[in-house]
Amino acid sequence: MESLLKEKGIPVQDALEFIKQPEVTERINIIGPYEQPLPLDENHRDYKSKPCMTLTNENVLLEGISQAQVLTKTIIAQHKLPNRIEELAEISVPKTVHESVKKAILSANVFDCEQQKLPKIKDPLRPAYNFPRILGISDRRRNQIITNKLLQLVEKCSDFELSQTRFVTNDVETKTVFNKEDDLIQFHNISNILVTSEKPLSHDIKERDIPFAEIPDLYPIKHTITLPPEHFYEQTSIYPIQKSFTRKHPHTTWLHFNRTEVSNIYETPVTDLQIEGRALTHAFTVASSYAKQIHGEEVQDLPEPIFVNCIQTDGQKYHFGVLKLNTLNVDGVDGTKNEWYCKNNIKLYDRSGYFNGMPVLENYNPKVYGYINAFYNC
């Protein structure tokens, strides 16, 4: 073959001699299926020497609602929602609507075809006993089904002209970065459903008639406890809707609480107070990121308050809240404060599933749909 190649003018080189050559050949950049991520070291473009204390939608605050108050400089009106929402929640709806809600609950808990391995069953009295694994509908799937069906039902029952002023997005990212007493903090959340409107949300609230729970003192605990430090971050907030879009104003954000995804960093069970604090920090993230998009990253006291409705659910219990954002200056406890109006732990039903081979729904609570309808139409 060597003689034939030489006749055609093709150079031939001994392979053993070629591998002995000291020259370093140029590395070929092979195009792969995706761009390789940069190594997480000090040369990374997002590396900062100052750590940023980070709260995501998958972890919770150690002190729950009390720590959320300190971080966001918020006073709380417990078991109190704006009067307009209470009035709309009392409006009676046809029985067919409640029948549709019951069908939505059964669709999410019984009739869906998903078969996933559910979390292992543990018996505190027999910790070493292995129960048989159960296949069924995951909590993420249940929440997705019931929230989308309830929101669709509310839209169908609402005035057509009102629905045209609303815009619904699923699983959108929001992030806010702020300073508190020499600490850099970021809240990074996912709105499972974000409803926006053409006009900013507003509530007529008479503060004089409402008793507020003041901001507590966490001493000797620091307000950043259980917030992991992060060195790779960007110091810009993210609001998911572009400023030029007409229906950009945040109206109602839905937040799912999935026990298989949300946990303490110390692996202890999540408490009710931590769930309540999660709703407050989530609403603060949406409202503050929107405020920074309008007024800039350095805004402190807002010229006009920003209202955001928040609904958090695990598919059975519902937490309703309204945040009145007055300031982004969260240092200390003096001066202008934010306000949080809430009603927590309202059950939509007691039990839903197969019992003795029959699909069962027990103790349906129509008040929950009333509040969801009021939040959408306020």
Side-chain angles (χ1 to χ4, degrees), residues 85-187:
I85 291 179
E86 295 287 0
E87 293 172 0
L88 290 173
E90 295 297 327
I91 297 176
S92 60
V93 297
K95 291 184 178 180
T96 54
V97 175
H98 290 298
E99 292 299 323
S100 298
V101 176
K102 293 178 183 179
K103 290 180 181 179
I105 297 171
L106 290 173
S107 297
N109 293 281
V110 180
F111 299 137
D112 192 70
C113 298
E114 185 185 56
Q115 293 291 298
Q116 295 287 341
K117 278 187 177 181
L118 300 184
K120 290 185 177 181
I121 302 174
K122 293 294 183 181
D123 186 355
L125 300 178
R126 297 180 296 169
Y129 183 79
N130 287 325
F131 288 88
R133 293 303 296 269
I134 299 176
L135 297 177
I137 308 169
S138 63
D139 53 1
R140 171 191 279 266
R141 177 69 174 171
R142 286 200 305 268
N143 284 335
Q144 286 178 342
I145 292 174
I146 196 167
T147 52
N148 282 283
K149 284 184 177 292
L150 288 178
L151 183 58
Q152 183 183 25
L153 185 60
V154 169
E155 287 181 323
K156 288 169 61 178
C157 298
S158 299
D159 185 66
F160 176 75
E161 294 182 356
L162 177 68
S163 298
Q164 292 301 303
T165 64
R166 302 284 190 263
F167 184 72
V168 180
T169 55
N170 290 83
D171 298 329
V172 291
E173 176 188 13
T174 54
K175 186 180 76 169
T176 184
V177 183
F178 58 95
N179 288 282
K180 180 177 176 61
E181 299 166 7
D182 298 328
D183 289 316
L184 187 62
I185 302 172
Q186 71 170 345
F187 293 164

Side-chain angles (χ1 to χ4, degrees), residues 351 353-360:
R351 289 201 306 174
Y354 280 110
F355 299 99
N356 296 326
M358 295 289 291
V360 175

